[in-house]
Structure formats: C-alpha cells, structure tokens
Amino acid sequence: MIFRSRSKEQGKVTKITEFKKQKETASRQQKCSYCKTMAKRLTFYADHDGKVVGLCRECRPRAKRQDLMPL
C-alpha cells in the first residue's frame, strides 16, 4: 500500500478516485516467481509439490523443461 505524507490542511480525507488510480497501477504488474522481474502477464503453473508458480514469457521454457503443469 502506498502512503503519502499530507499537510495538516488536507486532513485525513482521501479522494476515492485517486485511491482507485493508485490501486489499478500497482495491481497491473506482478513479479515472476523465478527471475523476480515485473511482468504484465504471467502464466501460472503447478510444480511437483502442488505449489503455484507464476512465470513470465522468458521463463516459460524453464517450466517446460521441468514438466510443470499449466493451470
């Protein structure tokens, strides 16, 4: 969550439109489970232990080599 410092004149009231914009920009990208880079689109796989892994486009061949099952 992103916190901003406010002057005392503004008080504790937040405009809902500004909050929604912050939330949308932060949630559009996710980290790849292997290389930890931010990617807009991840493909999710289940590994041998049943753990879900999200991989970017560059790490997909790595998942195929390990025989991970796509979800």
Side-chain angles (χ1 to χ4, degrees):
M1 189 172 248
I2 300 171
F3 294 101
R4 289 192 212 164
S5 61
R6 297 185 180 113
S7 65
K8 291 185 179 186
E9 296 171 0
Q10 290 178 336
K12 295 184 179 181
V13 179
T14 304
K15 293 182 181 178
I16 193 76
T17 56
E18 290 178 13
F19 179 75
K20 285 183 180 180
K21 286 180 187 177
Q22 288 176 358
K23 190 173 181 180
E24 286 176 5
T25 57
S27 66
R28 288 185 184 177
Q29 293 188 345
Q30 294 177 324
K31 283 187 179 180
C32 173
S33 296
Y34 285 161
C35 63
K36 305 297 183 201
T37 57
M38 297 298 282
K40 286 185 180 180
R41 176 179 259 177
L42 296 179
T43 305
F44 293 95
Y45 294 92
D47 65 1
H48 301 291
D49 297 329
K51 184 177 164 186
V52 176
V53 180
L55 302 178
C56 63
R57 183 172 283 181
E58 290 80 26
C59 295
R60 285 184 200 166
R62 191 173 174 184
K64 289 187 180 186
R65 274 187 264 132
Q66 294 178 359
D67 291 330
L68 299 182
M69 296 176 48
L71 298 178

